[in-house]
Amino acid sequence: MKFQLPRGTRDILPEEVAKWHFLEKAFMKIADNYQYREIRTPIFEHTELFERGVGDSTDIVSKEMYTFNDKGGRSMTLRPEGTAPVVRAFVEHKMYGNVDQPVKLFYRGSMFRYERPQGGRQRQFNQIGIEALGSADASIDAEVISLAMNFFYKIGLKNIQLVMNSLGDKESRLRHREALINHFEPQIDEFCEDCQKRLHKNPLRILDCKKDHEHPLVKTAPAILAFLNDDSLAYFEQVKAYLQAMKIDFTVDATLVRGLDYYNHTTFEIMSIEEGFGAKATLCGGGRYHGLVEEFAGPQTPGIGFGMGVERVLLALEKADISLPEKEVLTCYVITAQKEANTKAVELVNTLRQADISAEKDYLDRKIKGQLKDASRKGALYTVILGESELETGKYQLKNMATGEQEEVAETELVATLLTRMK
Ligand code: HAM
């Protein structure tokens, strides 16, 4: 019986994993600079968490969730996104009571959405995201956005564009909602069944309907920015001013509607404008959410964050011709010139590995030439050859594979010498 990957999933092979490590490391360094700490939540949650959190009129909840009943008959869902689980954990662990406020968290891991797979869109994909809970200060909005932008710059992605919008506060959104209903209602029968249901439930969702996005009424729909009250406008202006102070360029797109229901005030997306990327260029999306903690029975707490698609970031790097490391460094390859040296080779690689020096040996009974070839194929920085005289004297020729230079090193000095060379 031959098996294949489920549609929309990928194996990340060892050749690629070094790139993932590189991105994760770079992100963790930046998260540390900004003082965000990692949180790990389960891969599945109670279905209701997403229904209430992300919103049951969204495509994610109504069409794309991997939902199943567990053996106890409870409805569970593989997480389609990371914000609702993080907010659940924030409430469950009463982090609103932490002395340290705001609570700044980051996460990474697989998310699951039953979408039509295509370039940059999978059913299991990976996000790195952050959430800052407990502050409604506009400088946090600017911080969250700058963290994402600085990450992209750090890994070498320059051709990116930051697009922003504001959905305003509750009052502004209610006014906008009325305007949308008045706009669509006379011709709502020209829209798909979902949109007809959305009209009174959540008319904002009509704007990002995948079926009706070409309808002329969608293009002429009233934009939220015209409905922002003074407070919401002032907030948005402050966020923009902070971004300008950090010299972060952005464009305002009044039609930017994110596909999740929890947003208010600032929303943003960062796109790759690399040529040939195609339709799916959004690398990162996020925004403010003020009602979610309360929705999950916590005290009224403002939050803001983003999620970025790791596969899409890797794709953007590829399109931009930016090469990332493909494998981890191999410091020393131990070569055996005769069978009698096998035990010493086992002992030596063990000593090196225990000293945090990456080491490798032959396992296929290759001749010296074959082992040397293996060492250079693996990119070994150094080799030592164990032959008769080496076994007798305990002195090895340490060869620098790049320069060809050799130096004699006593076995007892090997670890110290390699550690110095690695610095
Ligand atoms: P989202 O826009 O649904 O937001 O997803 C964020 C990012 O995840 C997207 O910009 C994209 O890069 C990636 N992504 C989404 N779906 C797929 C897919 N099917 N295949 C590959 N990549 C995908 C959220 O998930 C929010 N939780 C973000 C957030 C955090 N808002 C506030 N805090």
Side-chain angles (χ1 to χ4, degrees), residues 331-333 335 372 380-385 396-407 409 418:
T331 305
C332 186
Y333 192 107
I335 293 172
L372 268 166
L381 302 178
Y382 293 92
T383 53
V384 282
I385 301 182
Y396 307 133
Q397 291 299 320
L398 182 65
K399 183 174 176 184
N400 180 321
M401 294 291 277
T403 62
E405 278 167 35
Q406 300 206 30
E407 60 182 311
V409 180
L418 281 171

Side-chain angles (χ1 to χ4, degrees), residues 81 83 113 115 120 122 127 131 258 262-263 282-283 305 307 309:
E81 62 101 48
T83 309
R113 297 183 192 174
E115 292 193 82
Q122 295 170 209
Q127 274 188 1
E131 312 293 347
R258 308 261 309 119
Y262 43 64
Y263 293 114
T282 307
L283 304 178

